[in-house]
Amino acid sequence: MLHFKPSKMSLALLSSGLMALSATSFAAEEAKSQEEKAEEAVEVIQVKGFRKSLVESINLKRYSSSVVEAISAEDIGKLPDSSIAESIARLPGLAAQRIDGRASKVSIRGFGENESGTTLNGREQVSIGDNRGVEFDLYPSEIMSGVTVYKTPNASLEGEGIAGVIDLQTIKPLSQDDRVIQFNGTYEKTSFEKLNPNGDDDGLKGTFFYMDQFADDTLGVAFAYTTMTSPNQEKRWNSWGYPEFEYSDGSQGSILGGAKPFVRSSTLERDSAMLVIEAAPRDDLKMTFDALYVDFLDTKILRGIEVPFAWGQGSISPDSVTIDADTGFITSATTQGQRALVRNDYEERDAELMSFGFNTNWAVNDNWTLDFDASYSKVERDVYSVESYAGTGRGDNRGVADDIGYTFDSGNTGAKFTHGLDYSDYNLIQLGGPLSWGWSGALNDKYGVTGTEYENQLQDGFINTPTIDDELMSLKFAASQDIDSDFISAITYGVAYREREKTKKSEGYFMTLSSFSYPDNTGMLSVPEQYRLGTANLDFIGMGDMIAYDTMGLINDGYYDLLQESLTDPKHATKSWTVNEKVMSAFAQAELATEIAGMPVTGNLGVRYVYTEQSSQGSAFNTIDGLVVAEPTDVSHDYHHFLPSLNLSMQIDDSQTLRFGAAKTISRARLDEMNASFNATYNQQPDSEGNYWSVSGGNPALEPKEAIGIDLSYENYFSAEGYFAVALFHKDLQNWIFDGSYAVDMTGIADPATGELPATTTGTGNGKVNGGDGTLWGYELSATLPFNMVHESLDGFGIIASYTGIESDMKDQNDNDYELPGLSDSITSATFYYDKNGFSARASMRKRGAFKGDVYGLGFDTVQVDIMGETIWDAQIGYDFGEGGFESLEGLSIFLQGYNLTEEPFTSLQGDNALQVRDYQDYGSTYLLGFSYKM
């Protein structure tokens, strides 16, 4: 039987720090088993600080049985970036999408966040969004020890995703040697001064960490607590849209429909606690309990002026129009007699996450090991988003109108306005709805204005209050047996069960001034003195100063009455649902160890069977006499998949490795697309399918998207601190999800007008359907080059770089071309570093091409937009006094970081015309000054 014995160099690399390994990585367990041999055989290579974390990350990649990328923290609380998403986005083939200035959503090799799985210590996690994609700013980097990204799966991996699986890891106290007591502190400052008078432009972050081992190193405890207030500010151009029209000569043109620019001041408050208890009462038994608690509050203050243009009541002066000759787009114009809407908005996004896990590993004998794992995670998210309106008079035709002009430039920054009114004048700009919004029969009836001149003019503001509850429980039992064979070293097999339930509730409320009464008091209300906060400046769009007031103070003190929008608008019933998934799986995996042409070949071959029962509860509704009438629904569906996987690694010599991976993978449908809430309409004439009922909403019968992936890579580990790799990947995509129609069982449901049953028992559903296929392929080039390879005088200097090129050919079920969300055709990252004798400096760049991404639209609906490519530069310098030779300051380090140093904006477009900017978001830069003291 072949017994592969690694070289001394291999052992030395392993001994330099394979500690932060995922419990799900069998390759990592093999690496750890070699560590004791390494200590006896060779002198350990000693590097510290950032270079130590590089060595550990390289070793994780080198000795994994799958194709992976990894990040290892220098120390607890010292991941390379302040955000996990920032760190992950620097890995080869990965990119981040910024939300409100923070890297939050991560795509892998051209696939959006909904096509990848995220696990914590190998266990799937809940999310605070409407769907499955995890927003990484929920997870504090300060209490993570590392991250592993699996680009090729194995049968034992619990996470699911066509793109891959991202595993976040907490520390294992028995893997460390000594007691650690550590304090970290950071001061954060934005480059913008306060954009809102009651906003924040600076914040603080602190972390306490304790870890120790007891009872002759058979019991280990790690505890971390971190608290932070992190500011974020933004100047944003946001358009309503660009209506198209036809010129007199028959050519096509477009114009600005309206705009909603504003300044935003946000503060993210997050308190997090982590506890890990690890016990090894016997040599053959290890038990681990881990818990994570996160209390998350993101508060936003937004002020701006909403300007209707082509979709407003003003008249556009022909003499003011400038037309772009190439596109027919009107780049400048003036509207006369237009009333603008002044907004003082406030938003809270409040989330609470709890995650618990317990694992027991028992070595029954020398050849047989049992593993049991149980976990539970839950998140609750509440959004309270307020729009408060002010203007010169109620409705479209009262109050002082303005002549407003706009001019677009060629820099994709949106437009600048000219105006005549003073929007900072509290006597002119008063509380109330200056546009005829609020078309609700219930609202009109409440105030007795139906049929009067004030009908549909009582929306003085609006509140959105969507909530999310996401709960997940999982169990896993596995066994591993060593095998005496020339080809197989071990067999692992097991079963797993998980159940997830996610509930979304949607509601909105019309705000009307409590002082309004018809016909006695129908006007606006001057902002009371005690709620006035001064002004906010909108010079970046040319609108000067505007009034700023305390919106929440006015609401809390009873200045507004509220009325549910769901009384007359069915959209909240469509967006309220529960989805439940019960997933049962069984897997078997053989660990391979053999030789081909005298070269060691290792890897795994396995298969995973997955059976899913999914159900959804919602509402089927119609609108009768202007009011929404709903009936509960409960729809179930089940399906199963066989998911084979193969990973092979051939060691050409001590430094060169050739890898091959092939697997079938799945990505489950978005939860908001598979819900059972429908809007049902009975038509007197049948449609093309012969059905009388027309149904729109979710589709609970959606099944996962599927892919067969092939990976081939060459890796050369030419140094303890360096490597280069070339990778090719190809995925055959099937069963994708597109807009379409499907049959709905309407048995026994009668015509609501006559009570008679229709001739057919089915209805035509309009929503998401499975169908269409395509391919995605690409290549990756990655390298870490320490400059001491060039000359010893350059020891400490180095560069980490990667480039990924991606192409796809995707068709929907009607054979139309389709662009995958999250796909940038190129992704580049580079980090230049120096790390020696306690001093460290890094400059990092990440660049991605244009892509389609999800953002929040009206009513917190998720909408897809065209996002322009971006290049972001960050930098950090730091000094560790102990490593610098100051014994009296041993354990103390300081650092200064700067993010988005070139102030790269976030820009999205609407339509094919590059001048039609939907969003231009300028976040400025962010600076952090901090310290860490380790006892």
Side-chain angles (χ1 to χ4, degrees), residues 367-446:
N367 299 316
W368 193 26
T369 302
L370 300 179
D371 188 89
F372 171 75
D373 193 271
S375 65
Y376 173 82
S377 60
K378 178 180 175 65
V379 68
E380 296 178 352
R381 187 214 71 189
D382 297 321
V383 172
Y384 188 83
S385 180
V386 181
E387 304 172 5
S388 177
Y389 308 151
T392 62
R394 180 175 296 281
D396 286 342
N397 301 310
R398 300 182 189 88
V400 181
D402 200 357
D403 294 341
I404 301 175
Y406 78 80
T407 301
F408 277 82
D409 62 32
S410 58
N412 294 118
T413 60
K416 281 200 171 182
F417 294 101
T418 59
H419 62 99
L421 297 182
D422 180 3
Y423 291 93
S424 66
D425 184 350
Y426 279 92
N427 294 318
L428 175 66
I429 308 301
Q430 300 185 347
L431 300 176
L435 298 177
S436 295
W437 291 356
W439 288 53
S440 166
L443 185 63
N444 292 327
D445 291 344
K446 177 179 178 179

Side-chain angles (χ1 to χ4, degrees), residues 183-225:
F183 300 89
N184 300 338
T186 304
Y187 172 74
E188 184 173 359
K189 181 77 167 62
T190 66
S191 61
F192 291 144
E193 297 297 328
K194 290 183 179 182
L195 298 181
N196 284 284
N198 55 335
D200 294 323
D201 60 0
D202 62 356
L204 296 172
K205 176 165 52 179
T207 301
F208 167 75
F209 175 68
Y210 169 82
M211 180 178 65
D212 205 352
Q213 302 81 33
F214 307 93
D216 296 325
D217 292 335
T218 61
L219 178 66
V221 177
F223 173 77
Y225 173 77

Side-chain angles (χ1 to χ4, degrees), residues 104 497 559 719:
S104 184
Y497 172 82
Y559 279 84
S719 159

